Amino acid sequence: MTATTTPPPTPPATAPPPADKPARPTRFKSLGPVGLFVEERVTDLQKGYLADRATAVAHLARLRRGAGKLPEDVPDLWGFSGDHRLYRAHPAGDPAGERASEAAENAAHLALTLYALHQQSHRADRMHRIDIELGEAVRRLMPSDGIDEPIRRRFVQVGSSRNEKDLAFRLREIVSLLRREGVPLDYALLADQLEAWHFPPRRARVRQEWGRSFHAWRPRRAEDSGAGEPGDTAPDLPAQPSAPDH
């Protein structure tokens, strides 16, 4: 008697991803732990704010109180702009770990509070957009055929900041301009750059990134025509060593 061979069962077809869960966009620059934390938090807040969810609206209103300030200046925001993940990799009691924790904490706080200010009253547009660096966002504030010198000077002042209090205040001025004109910014990338800025030896690299993104941006119509932009020069962001923060 010949045995009958049973064919293997046909595997079920793989279901496509739900329509309400689009693929995560690919970034030009990868993020560090602080940037990933800020991206997760800002994405949730932005989605809730644009959907007019009361919790997100209230959360952003509270975060705005800290825009331009450091965490120790606004204890009312303890628990709103930080998270245990910012400290997990840095052992308590170790001076280097304490410094790294402070850098992560300040960077996340500044990025989240500045985003809260930026998104205010923009009910239909996302003010957090990936891969729009600070320099590019500032350049978008200017005419395509030249440089707005007052705005350029404000940008240079950001790069010239000697300590984090000064940097926080000057970034608030820039973000207020971006908010007024509806120009978005990548707050997760900014958070990683602010974390690096905390350490004086790494500040020159951050300044270089901000200056390069300012200089490299071109409006699409200029790219299409192949013409350069008269008067488009990169701001001279100083790279001299800064005095130690206290």
Side-chain angles (χ1 to χ4, degrees), residues 1-197:
M1 181 174 180
T2 304
T4 303
T5 302
T6 304
T10 303
T14 303
D20 60 343
K21 291 186 178 181
R24 188 183 186 88
T26 302
R27 284 182 162 275
F28 179 70
K29 291 185 177 181
S30 59
L31 297 175
V34 176
L36 289 171
F37 164 73
V38 168
E39 181 166 69
E40 177 185 303
R41 185 67 62 87
V42 167
T43 298
D44 287 344
L45 288 171
Q46 184 165 253
K47 187 182 299 182
Y49 186 81
L50 296 180
D52 200 25
R53 295 175 188 154
T55 52
V57 172
H59 200 139
L60 285 178
R62 193 162 191 171
L63 284 172
R64 279 197 297 274
R65 302 175 193 172
K69 302 175 183 178
L70 295 181
E72 62 266 27
D73 298 323
V74 276
D76 182 57
L77 294 185
W78 290 347
F80 282 81
S81 61
D83 188 271
H84 67 92
R85 288 170 288 179
L86 299 174
Y87 314 100
R88 189 163 48 197
H90 311 302
D94 173 53
E98 294 280 347
R99 180 78 165 160
S101 294
E102 182 183 4
E105 176 185 61
N106 288 358
H109 170 88
L110 285 174
L112 288 170
T113 54
L114 290 170
Y115 164 72
L117 173 66
H118 197 167
Q119 188 66 56
Q120 184 182 19
S121 301
H122 287 282
R123 293 289 186 161
D125 299 310
R126 295 176 291 121
M127 292 297 104
H128 166 62
R129 298 268 184 106
I130 68 169
D131 290 332
I132 299 181
E133 291 201 50
L134 181 65
E136 176 183 337
V138 171
R139 184 65 182 87
R140 290 185 182 204
L141 291 171
M142 302 181 184
S144 62
D145 60 351
I147 296 295
D148 184 308
E149 184 58 23
I151 293 177
R152 191 195 77 88
R153 284 200 299 267
R154 287 195 178 194
F155 183 43
V156 170
Q157 286 175 346
V158 171
S160 303
S161 301
R162 307 288 295 185
N163 55 59
E164 281 181 302
K165 285 185 180 293
D166 192 20
L167 178 66
F169 176 77
R170 289 172 171 173
L171 281 173
R172 190 186 195 283
E173 292 183 330
I174 291 291
V175 168
S176 295
L177 295 177
L178 298 177
R179 172 179 168 266
R180 184 185 69 190
E181 300 300 326
V183 176
L185 178 65
D186 187 335
Y187 279 92
L189 179 56
L190 179 65
D192 274 346
Q193 292 172 329
L194 292 176
E195 181 190 24
W197 196 94

Side-chain angles (χ1 to χ4, degrees), residues 198-241:
H198 186 87
F199 303 95
R202 299 170 64 186
R203 290 180 188 174
R205 177 62 181 270
V206 175
R207 292 187 182 108
Q208 183 182 48
E209 291 176 355
W210 287 345
R212 181 185 297 130
S213 64
F214 178 96
H215 184 79
W217 182 78
R218 291 290 186 278
R220 183 170 297 276
R221 62 182 180 182
E223 294 173 350
D224 293 344
S225 65
E229 292 186 274
D232 188 9
T233 56
D236 184 14
L237 294 181
Q240 76 274 12

